[in-house]
Amino acid sequence: MPIYEFQCQKCGRQFEVLVRGQEKAACPDCGGKNLEKLISAPAAPPASNGTPPCPVKPGGCCADPGDGCPGCGCSPFGH
């Protein structure tokens, strides 16, 4: 089920919406159905540099730098 990006021709709002099957999207602000589908870049997984992801503590923060991690601020999904 793809997520599409639209711009409402009635109020001008840009928004993303998950479109299922033959559903027609509507503007979440004004309910308008005259929408322009915008071109957006596809999401791609981050490139791996060959190093394993940082160990992550329960609060979502990276483990200590001594554990091979550069410290808090790196992604829990890898570098």
Coordinates of all heavy atoms in Angstrom, one line a residue:
M1 N 0.8 -1.2 0.0 CA 0.0 0.0 0.0 C 0.9 1.2 0.0 O 1.6 1.5 1.0 CB -0.9 0.0 1.2 CG -2.0 -1.1 1.2 SD -2.9 -1.2 2.7 CE -2.0 -2.4 3.5
P2 N 0.9 1.9 -1.1 CA 1.8 3.1 -1.2 C 1.3 4.3 -0.5 O 0.1 4.5 -0.3 CB 1.9 3.3 -2.7 CG 0.6 2.8 -3.2 CD 0.2 1.6 -2.3
I3 N 2.2 5.1 0.0 CA 1.9 6.4 0.6 C 2.2 7.5 -0.5 O 3.3 7.5 -1.1 CB 2.8 6.7 1.8 CG1 2.5 5.7 2.9 CG2 2.5 8.2 2.3 CD1 3.3 5.8 4.1
Y4 N 1.2 8.3 -0.8 CA 1.3 9.3 -1.9 C 1.3 10.7 -1.2 O 0.7 10.9 -0.2 CB 0.2 9.2 -2.9 CG 0.3 7.9 -3.7 CD1 -0.6 6.9 -3.5 CD2 1.2 7.8 -4.8 CE1 -0.6 5.8 -4.3 CE2 1.3 6.7 -5.6 CZ 0.4 5.7 -5.3 OH 0.4 4.5 -6.1
E5 N 2.0 11.6 -1.9 CA 2.0 13.0 -1.5 C 1.1 13.8 -2.5 O 1.2 13.6 -3.7 CB 3.4 13.5 -1.6 CG 3.6 14.8 -0.9 CD 5.1 15.2 -0.8 OE1 6.0 14.4 -1.2 OE2 5.4 16.3 -0.3
F6 N 0.2 14.6 -1.9 CA -0.8 15.3 -2.7 C -0.8 16.8 -2.3 O -0.3 17.2 -1.3 CB -2.2 14.8 -2.5 CG -2.5 13.4 -3.0 CD1 -2.4 12.4 -2.1 CD2 -2.8 13.2 -4.3 CE1 -2.7 11.1 -2.5 CE2 -3.1 11.9 -4.7 CZ -3.0 10.9 -3.9
Q7 N -1.3 17.6 -3.3 CA -1.6 19.0 -3.0 C -3.0 19.3 -3.3 O -3.5 18.9 -4.4 CB -0.7 20.0 -3.7 CG -1.0 21.4 -3.4 CD 0.0 22.4 -3.9 OE1 1.0 22.0 -4.5 NE2 -0.2 23.7 -3.6
C8 N -3.8 19.8 -2.4 CA -5.2 20.1 -2.6 C -5.3 21.3 -3.5 O -4.8 22.4 -3.2 CB -5.9 20.3 -1.3 SG -7.7 20.7 -1.4
Q9 N -6.1 21.2 -4.6 CA -6.4 22.3 -5.5 C -7.3 23.4 -4.9 O -7.4 24.5 -5.3 CB -6.9 21.8 -6.8 CG -5.9 20.9 -7.5 CD -4.5 21.6 -7.8 OE1 -4.5 22.5 -8.5 NE2 -3.5 21.0 -7.2
K10 N -8.1 23.0 -3.9 CA -9.1 23.9 -3.2 C -8.4 24.8 -2.2 O -8.6 26.0 -2.3 CB -10.2 23.0 -2.6 CG -11.3 23.8 -2.0 CD -12.4 22.9 -1.5 CE -13.6 23.7 -0.9 NZ -14.6 22.8 -0.4
C11 N -7.6 24.2 -1.3 CA -7.1 25.0 -0.2 C -5.5 25.1 -0.3 O -4.9 25.9 0.5 CB -7.5 24.5 1.2 SG -6.7 22.9 1.6
G12 N -4.9 24.3 -1.1 CA -3.4 24.4 -1.3 C -2.6 23.6 -0.3 O -1.4 23.6 -0.4
R13 N -3.2 22.9 0.6 CA -2.5 22.1 1.6 C -1.8 20.9 0.9 O -2.3 20.3 0.0 CB -3.4 21.5 2.6 CG -2.7 20.6 3.6 CD -3.2 20.4 4.9 NE -2.4 19.5 5.6 CZ -2.8 18.8 6.6 NH1 -4.1 18.8 7.0 NH2 -2.0 17.9 7.3
Q14 N -0.5 20.7 1.3 CA 0.2 19.5 0.9 C 0.2 18.5 2.0 O 0.3 18.8 3.2 CB 1.7 19.8 0.5 CG 1.8 20.7 -0.7 CD 3.3 20.9 -1.1 OE1 4.2 20.4 -0.5 NE2 3.5 21.7 -2.1
F15 N 0.0 17.2 1.7 CA -0.1 16.2 2.7 C 0.2 14.8 2.1 O 0.2 14.7 0.9 CB -1.5 16.1 3.3 CG -2.6 15.9 2.3 CD1 -3.1 14.6 2.1 CD2 -3.2 16.9 1.5 CE1 -4.1 14.3 1.2 CE2 -4.2 16.6 0.6 CZ -4.7 15.4 0.4
E16 N 0.5 13.9 2.9 CA 0.8 12.5 2.5 C -0.4 11.6 3.0 O -1.0 11.9 4.1 CB 2.0 12.0 3.2 CG 3.3 12.6 2.7 CD 4.5 12.1 3.4 OE1 4.4 11.4 4.4 OE2 5.6 12.3 2.9
V17 N -0.7 10.6 2.3 CA -1.8 9.7 2.7 C -1.6 8.3 2.1 O -1.0 8.1 1.1 CB -3.2 10.3 2.2 CG1 -3.3 10.2 0.7 CG2 -4.4 9.5 2.8
L18 N -1.9 7.3 2.9 CA -1.8 5.9 2.6 C -3.0 5.6 1.7 O -4.2 5.8 2.1 CB -1.8 5.0 3.8 CG -1.8 3.5 3.6 CD1 -0.5 3.1 3.0 CD2 -2.0 2.8 4.9
V19 N -2.8 5.1 0.5 CA -3.9 4.8 -0.4 C -4.1 3.3 -0.5 O -3.1 2.6 -0.9 CB -3.7 5.5 -1.8 CG1 -4.8 5.2 -2.8 CG2 -3.5 7.0 -1.7
R20 N -5.2 2.8 -0.2 CA -5.5 1.4 -0.2 C -6.4 1.1 -1.4 O -7.5 1.6 -1.5 CB -6.2 1.0 1.1 CG -5.3 1.1 2.3 CD -6.1 0.6 3.5 NE -5.2 0.6 4.7 CZ -5.4 1.4 5.8 NH1 -6.5 2.1 5.8 NH2 -4.6 1.3 6.8
G21 N -6.0 0.1 -2.2 CA -6.8 -0.3 -3.3 C -7.2 0.8 -4.2 O -6.5 1.6 -4.7
Q22 N -8.6 0.8 -4.4 CA -9.2 1.8 -5.3 C -9.7 3.1 -4.5 O -10.4 3.8 -5.1 CB -10.3 1.2 -6.0 CG -9.9 0.0 -6.9 CD -8.9 0.4 -8.0 OE1 -9.0 1.5 -8.6 NE2 -7.8 -0.4 -8.2
E23 N -9.3 3.2 -3.3 CA -9.7 4.4 -2.5 C -9.3 5.7 -3.2 O -8.2 5.8 -3.8 CB -9.1 4.4 -1.1 CG -9.7 3.4 -0.1 CD -9.0 3.5 1.2 OE1 -8.0 4.2 1.4 OE2 -9.5 2.8 2.1
K24 N -10.1 6.7 -3.0 CA -9.7 8.1 -3.5 C -9.4 8.9 -2.3 O -10.1 8.9 -1.3 CB -10.9 8.7 -4.2 CG -11.3 7.9 -5.4 CD -10.3 8.0 -6.5 CE -10.7 7.2 -7.7 NZ -9.7 7.1 -8.7
A25 N -8.3 9.6 -2.3 CA -7.8 10.5 -1.2 C -8.7 11.7 -1.2 O -9.2 12.2 -2.2 CB -6.4 10.8 -1.4
A26 N -8.7 12.3 0.0 CA -9.4 13.6 0.2 C -8.5 14.5 1.1 O -7.8 14.0 2.0 CB -10.8 13.5 0.8
C27 N -8.6 15.8 1.0 CA -7.8 16.7 1.8 C -8.2 16.6 3.2 O -9.4 16.7 3.5 CB -8.0 18.1 1.3 SG -7.1 19.4 2.3
P28 N -7.3 16.5 4.2 CA -7.7 16.4 5.6 C -8.2 17.7 6.2 O -8.9 17.7 7.2 CB -6.4 15.9 6.3 CG -5.3 16.3 5.4 CD -5.9 16.3 4.0
D29 N -7.9 18.8 5.5 CA -8.4 20.1 6.0 C -9.7 20.5 5.5 O -10.6 20.8 6.3 CB -7.4 21.2 5.6 CG -6.1 21.2 6.5 OD1 -6.1 20.5 7.5 OD2 -5.2 22.0 6.1
C30 N -9.9 20.5 4.2 CA -11.2 21.0 3.6 C -12.0 19.9 3.0 O -13.2 20.1 2.6 CB -10.9 22.0 2.6 SG -10.2 21.4 1.0
G31 N -11.5 18.6 2.9 CA -12.3 17.5 2.3 C -12.3 17.5 0.8 O -12.9 16.7 0.2
G32 N -11.5 18.4 0.2 CA -11.5 18.5 -1.3 C -10.9 17.3 -1.9 O -10.1 16.6 -1.4
K33 N -11.5 16.9 -3.1 CA -11.1 15.7 -3.8 C -10.3 16.0 -5.1 O -9.9 15.1 -5.7 CB -12.3 14.8 -4.0 CG -12.9 14.3 -2.7 CD -13.8 13.1 -3.0 CE -14.4 12.7 -1.7 NZ -13.8 11.5 -1.1
N34 N -10.2 17.3 -5.4 CA -9.5 17.7 -6.6 C -8.0 17.8 -6.1 O -7.6 18.9 -5.7 CB -10.0 19.0 -7.2 CG -9.4 19.4 -8.5 OD1 -8.6 18.6 -9.0 ND2 -9.6 20.6 -8.9
L35 N -7.3 16.8 -6.2 CA -5.9 16.7 -5.7 C -4.9 16.5 -6.8 O -5.2 15.8 -7.8 CB -5.8 15.5 -4.7 CG -6.8 15.5 -3.6 CD1 -6.6 14.2 -2.8 CD2 -6.6 16.7 -2.7
E36 N -3.7 17.1 -6.7 CA -2.6 16.9 -7.6 C -1.6 16.0 -6.9 O -1.2 16.3 -5.8 CB -2.0 18.3 -7.9 CG -0.8 18.1 -8.8 CD 0.0 19.4 -9.0 OE1 -0.5 20.5 -8.6 OE2 1.0 19.4 -9.7
K37 N -1.3 14.9 -7.6 CA -0.3 14.0 -7.0 C 1.1 14.6 -7.3 O 1.4 14.9 -8.4 CB -0.4 12.6 -7.7 CG 0.4 11.5 -7.0 CD 0.4 10.2 -7.7 CE -0.9 9.5 -7.5 NZ -0.9 8.2 -8.1
L38 N 1.8 14.7 -6.2 CA 3.2 15.3 -6.3 C 4.2 14.2 -6.5 O 4.0 13.1 -6.1 CB 3.5 16.1 -5.0 CG 2.5 17.2 -4.7 CD1 2.8 17.9 -3.4 CD2 2.5 18.3 -5.8
I39 N 5.3 14.6 -7.1 CA 6.4 13.7 -7.3 C 7.3 13.7 -6.1 O 7.7 14.8 -5.7 CB 7.2 14.0 -8.6 CG1 6.3 13.9 -9.8 CG2 8.5 13.2 -8.7 CD1 7.0 14.4 -11.1
S40 N 7.6 12.6 -5.5 CA 8.4 12.6 -4.3 C 9.4 11.5 -4.5 O 9.2 10.5 -5.2 CB 7.6 12.4 -3.0 OG 6.8 11.3 -3.1
A41 N 10.6 11.6 -3.8 CA 11.6 10.6 -3.8 C 11.2 9.4 -3.1 O 10.6 9.5 -2.0 CB 12.9 11.2 -3.3
P42 N 11.5 8.2 -3.6 CA 11.1 7.0 -2.8 C 12.0 6.9 -1.6 O 13.2 7.3 -1.6 CB 11.4 5.9 -3.8 CG 12.3 6.4 -4.8 CD 12.1 7.9 -4.8
A43 N 11.5 6.3 -0.5 CA 12.3 6.0 0.7 C 13.2 4.8 0.4 O 12.8 3.8 -0.2 CB 11.4 5.7 1.8
A44 N 14.5 4.9 0.8 CA 15.4 3.9 0.6 C 16.1 3.6 1.9 O 16.4 4.5 2.7 CB 16.4 4.3 -0.5
P45 N 16.5 2.4 2.2 CA 17.2 2.1 3.4 C 18.6 2.8 3.4 O 19.2 2.9 2.3 CB 17.3 0.6 3.4 CG 17.2 0.2 2.0 CD 16.3 1.2 1.4
P46 N 19.1 3.1 4.5 CA 20.4 3.8 4.5 C 21.5 2.8 4.1 O 21.4 1.6 4.3 CB 20.6 4.1 6.0 CG 19.7 3.3 6.8 CD 18.5 3.0 5.8
A47 N 22.5 3.3 3.4 CA 23.6 2.5 3.0 C 24.4 2.0 4.2 O 24.6 2.7 5.1 CB 24.5 3.3 2.1
S48 N 24.8 0.8 4.1 CA 25.6 0.2 5.1 C 27.1 0.4 4.8 O 27.6 0.3 3.7 CB 25.3 -1.3 5.2 OG 26.2 -1.9 6.1
N49 N 27.8 0.8 5.9 CA 29.3 0.9 5.7 C 30.0 -0.3 6.2 O 31.2 -0.2 6.4 CB 29.7 2.2 6.4 CG 29.5 2.2 7.9 OD1 29.1 1.2 8.4 ND2 29.8 3.3 8.6
G50 N 29.3 -1.4 6.4 CA 29.9 -2.6 6.8 C 30.1 -2.8 8.3 O 30.5 -3.8 8.8
T51 N 29.8 -1.7 9.1 CA 29.9 -1.9 10.6 C 28.5 -2.2 11.1 O 27.5 -1.8 10.6 CB 30.4 -0.6 11.2 OG1 29.5 0.5 10.9 CG2 31.7 -0.2 10.7
P52 N 28.5 -3.0 12.2 CA 27.2 -3.4 12.8 C 26.6 -2.1 13.5 O 27.2 -1.2 13.8 CB 27.6 -4.4 13.8 CG 29.0 -4.2 14.1 CD 29.6 -3.6 12.9
P53 N 25.2 -2.2 13.6 CA 24.6 -1.0 14.3 C 25.0 -0.9 15.8 O 25.5 -1.8 16.4 CB 23.1 -1.4 14.3 CG 23.0 -2.7 13.6 CD 24.3 -3.2 13.2
C54 N 24.9 0.3 16.3 CA 25.3 0.6 17.7 C 24.4 -0.2 18.6 O 23.2 -0.3 18.3 CB 25.1 2.1 18.0 SG 26.2 3.1 17.0
P55 N 24.9 -0.6 19.7 CA 24.0 -1.2 20.8 C 23.1 0.0 21.3 O 23.6 1.1 21.5 CB 25.0 -1.7 21.8 CG 26.3 -1.6 21.3 CD 26.3 -0.7 20.1
V56 N 21.9 -0.3 21.5 CA 21.0 0.8 21.9 C 20.4 0.4 23.3 O 20.0 -0.7 23.6 CB 19.8 0.9 20.9 CG1 18.8 2.0 21.4 CG2 20.3 1.2 19.5
K57 N 20.4 1.5 24.2 CA 19.9 1.3 25.5 C 18.4 1.4 25.4 O 17.8 1.8 24.4 CB 20.4 2.4 26.4 CG 21.9 2.4 26.7 CD 22.3 3.5 27.6 CE 23.8 3.5 27.9 NZ 24.2 4.6 28.7
P58 N 17.6 0.9 26.5 CA 16.2 0.9 26.4 C 15.5 2.2 26.1 O 14.5 2.3 25.5 CB 15.8 0.4 27.8 CG 17.0 -0.5 28.2 CD 18.2 0.2 27.6
G59 N 16.2 3.3 26.5 CA 15.6 4.6 26.3 C 15.8 5.1 24.8 O 15.4 6.2 24.5
G60 N 16.4 4.3 24.0 CA 16.6 4.7 22.6 C 18.0 5.4 22.3 O 18.3 5.7 21.2
C61 N 18.7 5.6 23.4 CA 20.0 6.3 23.3 C 21.1 5.2 23.0 O 21.0 4.1 23.5 CB 20.3 7.0 24.5 SG 21.8 8.0 24.5
C62 N 22.1 5.6 22.2 CA 23.2 4.6 21.9 C 23.9 4.3 23.2 O 23.9 5.1 24.2 CB 24.1 5.2 20.9 SG 23.5 5.3 19.3
A63 N 24.6 3.2 23.2 CA 25.4 2.8 24.3 C 26.6 3.7 24.4 O 26.8 4.6 23.6 CB 25.8 1.3 24.1
D64 N 27.4 3.5 25.5 CA 28.6 4.3 25.7 C 29.6 4.2 24.6 O 29.7 3.1 23.9 CB 29.2 3.9 27.0 CG 28.3 4.1 28.2 OD1 27.6 5.1 28.2 OD2 28.4 3.3 29.1
P65 N 30.4 5.3 24.3 CA 31.3 5.2 23.2 C 32.3 4.0 23.4 O 32.8 3.5 22.4 CB 32.1 6.5 23.3 CG 31.1 7.4 24.0 CD 30.3 6.6 24.9
G66 N 32.5 3.6 24.6 CA 33.4 2.4 24.8 C 32.9 1.1 24.2 O 33.7 0.2 24.0
D67 N 31.6 1.1 23.9 CA 31.0 -0.1 23.3 C 31.2 -0.1 21.8 O 30.5 -0.9 21.1 CB 29.5 -0.2 23.7 CG 29.3 -0.4 25.1 OD1 30.2 -1.0 25.8 OD2 28.3 0.0 25.7
G68 N 32.0 0.8 21.2 CA 32.1 0.8 19.8 C 31.1 1.8 19.1 O 31.0 1.8 17.9
C69 N 30.4 2.5 19.9 CA 29.4 3.4 19.4 C 29.9 4.9 19.6 O 30.6 5.1 20.6 CB 28.1 3.2 20.1 SG 26.8 4.3 19.5
P70 N 29.7 5.8 18.6 CA 30.1 7.2 18.8 C 29.4 7.9 19.9 O 29.6 9.1 20.1 CB 29.9 7.8 17.4 CG 28.8 7.0 16.8 CD 29.0 5.6 17.4
G71 N 28.5 7.3 20.6 CA 27.8 8.0 21.7 C 26.4 8.3 21.2 O 26.0 8.0 20.1
C72 N 25.6 9.0 22.1 CA 24.3 9.4 21.8 C 24.2 10.2 20.5 O 25.1 11.0 20.2 CB 23.6 10.1 22.9 SG 23.4 9.1 24.4
G73 N 23.1 10.1 19.8 CA 22.9 10.8 18.6 C 22.9 10.0 17.3 O 22.5 10.4 16.3
C74 N 23.5 8.8 17.4 CA 23.4 7.9 16.2 C 22.1 7.2 16.2 O 21.4 7.1 17.2 CB 24.6 7.0 16.1 SG 24.5 5.6 17.3
S75 N 21.7 6.7 15.1 CA 20.4 6.1 14.9 C 20.4 4.7 15.5 O 21.4 4.0 15.4 CB 20.1 6.0 13.4 OG 19.1 5.1 13.1
P76 N 19.3 4.3 16.1 CA 19.3 2.9 16.6 C 19.2 1.9 15.5 O 19.3 0.7 15.7 CB 18.0 2.9 17.5 CG 17.2 4.0 17.0 CD 18.1 5.0 16.4
F77 N 19.0 2.4 14.2 CA 18.9 1.5 13.1 C 20.3 1.3 12.4 O 20.4 0.8 11.3 CB 17.9 2.0 12.1 CG 16.6 2.1 12.7 CD1 16.0 3.4 13.0 CD2 15.8 1.0 13.1 CE1 14.8 3.5 13.6 CE2 14.6 1.2 13.7 CZ 14.1 2.4 13.9
G78 N 21.3 1.8 13.0 CA 22.7 1.7 12.4 C 23.2 3.1 12.1 O 22.6 4.1 12.3
H79 N 24.5 3.1 11.6 CA 25.2 4.4 11.4 C 24.7 5.0 10.1 O 24.4 4.4 9.1 CB 26.7 4.1 11.3 CG 27.2 3.6 12.5 ND1 27.4 4.4 13.7 CD2 27.7 2.4 12.9 CE1 27.9 3.6 14.6 NE2 28.1 2.4 14.1

